[in-house]
Amino acid sequence: MKFSRICVLGLGYIGLPTASTFATQGLKVIGVDVNPQVVETLQNGGLHIHEPGLRTLVQAALSSGNLEISDHPQPADVFIIAVPTPFYADKRADMRAVTAAAEAILPYLRPGNLVVLESTSPPRTTLELLAPILERSGLQAGDDFYLVYSPERVLPGQILREMIENARVIGGVTPSCAAAGRDLYAIFVRGEIVLTDATTAEMVKLMENTYRDVNIAIANEFARLADRFQVNVWEAIALANRHPRVNILKPGPGVGGHCISVDPWFLVEAAPHQTPLIQAARNVNSTQPDYVAGLVHSVCGDLKGVRIAILGLSYKPDVDDLRESPAIEIAQSLAASGAEVVAYEPNKTGAQIAGLECAASLEAALEGVALIVLLVAHSDFLKLDPSAVAAMTTARTVVDAINGWSSPAWEQVGFRVFRLGDGSQQRG
Ligand code: SAJ
């Protein structure tokens, strides 16, 4: 199939790179977002999200004249839905944005169009939520228009490369729908394109992120066990990973972001009685921030009035994304215990977060604190020279939740380093 006009609904971390990439490949693209600020920012040449290389790509797409930003859809050959699917407070999937996007397409849907859902969704969403809405047009999915589910699987921080190089799974409502999806993504995907049915593709996406969640949970549980037995979990993991069939992930402050901490709940909601392991893993990961805050308590005792520098607020290294960040949870919990918390997030120095003072520089964060808590393995933090840090602060105690500052160099300049998963807080 040949396509010339694509309408992308949702201009976030996935929709915007996707729309821009199609535009730079010479297709006419209408990028749609319901948030007027996003539309205005992009129309004025700005960018509302941070992702390496994205600014250049969006500018190239806009200056080619192929990418138009709008607050409403227009007729097109293809409609791609890339809107957020968060969860409600009770962990049920919030599918309102998908529903609204489908309804927005409805007036423009024509025979022969292709509709793609990329948003992570509970099993059977394409068949049971999306198709019925689109069929209100009088057209039948699979007969009159093509309908596919094709999950985004790109790693934040490496989106532009992974979008092109990763294998792409395309699940069609019928085999000819899947084939139409393949023709679309073959425009820019260099990885393998694999065709399946829509519900399998939905499951694939949820299984990938759930698998990672469970694997991080076991690493976090091992860290707790290592603390209890005064074993260095980092050394133990390195040794265990020399086994040819073992690959334990890294313990840390918990699992954040809008994907891995959210997606397993879609499976739990769909099948609560068949997901005991997934629920247990979620429970371990979602209580990991409390566990790390507990380490700080055991090192410091009463936190009332203690000034603490938190290094890193984003949900993972070298991104500016603060969504579902365990570091924020830890910082807020320490503040709730009476500590004076000053946080430094180098990728988002202007962040405003309830209960926290956000410093504009490392120096400002470290001044006058009694304790440093290292929560995110930003490359800038890992590179820090212990003597330079010692010169910025009178604090000589560090709680390191990521094994970032383990080297004896920190001890040599007078720091006491208490590390997650090595039992040091018990010895201290
Ligand atoms: N984390 C650990 N230990 C580890 C690895 C990660 O504690 O060993 C933590 C991170 O610090 C972070 C969280 O887990 O808080 C998630 O980070 P991540 O790098 O594992 O994943 P995301 O959420 O940035 O991106 C994931 C990816 N999924 C998989 O690797 C299976 C990505 O490919 C997906 O496209 C993305 O979710 C998504 O959008 O669904």
Side-chain angles (χ1 to χ4, degrees), residues 14 120 152-157 162 166 205 207-213 215-216 219-220 248-261 263 285 314-317 319 323-326 375-376 402:
I14 302 303
T120 305
E152 62 81 10
R153 301 154 93 197
V154 289
L155 196 67
E162 290 209 351
N166 284 4
K205 169 71 193 189
M207 282 162 51
E208 288 166 355
N209 280 355
T210 301
Y211 168 85
R212 195 155 168 84
D213 198 40
N215 279 284
I216 298 169
N220 284 333
I248 302 168
L249 296 178
K250 294 192 196 99
V255 169
H258 53 298
C259 310
I260 297 193
S261 63
D263 301 355
N285 288 335
S314 62
Y315 85 93
K316 70 172 194 175
V319 299
R323 285 177 292 178
E324 316 283 333
S325 173
L375 291 182
V376 184
I402 50 152

Side-chain angles (χ1 to χ4, degrees), residues 23-266:
T24 55
Q25 296 288 327
L27 284 92
K28 288 277 175 213
V29 181
I30 307 110
V32 179
D33 204 286
V34 291
N35 182 339
Q37 271 169 351
V38 169
V39 171
E40 198 186 315
T41 305
L42 290 169
Q43 282 174 339
N44 293 331
L47 207 57
H48 59 296
I49 48 178
H50 169 86
E51 173 66 27
L54 186 58
R55 186 171 294 278
T56 313
L57 177 68
V58 173
Q59 277 166 358
L62 288 169
S63 58
S64 71
N66 287 335
L67 176 61
E68 183 190 331
I69 307 293
S70 174
D71 60 2
H72 60 274
Q74 294 176 23
D77 309 317
V78 183
F79 296 91
I80 298 178
I81 301 175
V83 295
T85 46
F87 55 38
Y88 294 106
D90 64 359
K91 313 292 189 210
R92 282 179 309 112
D94 175 353
M95 302 302 288
R96 283 176 298 181
V98 171
T99 303
E103 285 170 346
I105 294 172
L106 209 45
Y108 305 97
L109 192 63
R110 298 286 173 270
N113 281 172
L114 165 62
V115 180
V116 183
L117 176 61
E118 285 205 22
S119 313
T120 305
S121 300
R124 304 193 67 80
T125 295
T126 309
L127 294 181
E128 292 175 5
L129 177 78
L130 188 53
I133 296 174
L134 297 172
E135 287 175 351
R136 283 196 236 142
S137 61
L139 304 174
Q140 287 299 303
D143 291 339
D144 305 315
F145 67 96
Y146 302 100
L147 180 58
V148 308
Y149 179 77
S150 180
E152 62 81 10
R153 301 154 93 197
V154 289
L155 196 67
Q158 301 187 28
I159 291 179
L160 302 195
R161 184 178 60 76
E162 290 209 351
M163 215 170 69
I164 291 169
E165 291 178 9
N166 284 4
R168 185 103 205 177
V169 173
I170 301 194
V173 161
T174 62
S176 60
C177 291
R182 180 196 52 216
D183 293 347
L184 174 71
Y185 286 100
I187 293 172
F188 69 76
V189 170
R190 298 286 159 261
E192 199 183 344
I193 296 182
V194 196
L195 306 190
T196 183
D197 63 86
T199 309
T200 302
E202 290 162 352
M203 276 294 286
V204 167
K205 169 71 193 189
L206 297 172
M207 282 162 51
E208 288 166 355
N209 280 355
T210 301
Y211 168 85
R212 195 155 168 84
D213 198 40
V214 171
N215 279 284
I216 298 169
I218 193 76
N220 284 333
E221 199 158 287
F222 286 152
R224 298 179 191 188
L225 290 170
D227 275 337
R228 161 126 189 235
F229 300 124
Q230 300 196 11
V231 162
N232 178 342
V233 79
W234 307 92
E235 182 195 354
I237 289 175
L239 296 179
N241 283 353
R242 296 177 90 146
H243 185 289
R245 286 174 295 284
V246 172
N247 183 18
I248 302 168
L249 296 178
K250 294 192 196 99
V255 169
H258 53 298
C259 310
I260 297 193
S261 63
V262 175
D263 301 355
W265 290 114
F266 292 0

Side-chain angles (χ1 to χ4, degrees), residues 401-414:
I402 50 152
N403 193 28
W405 290 351
S406 56
S407 81
W410 289 85
E411 268 142 29
Q412 268 160 25
V413 298

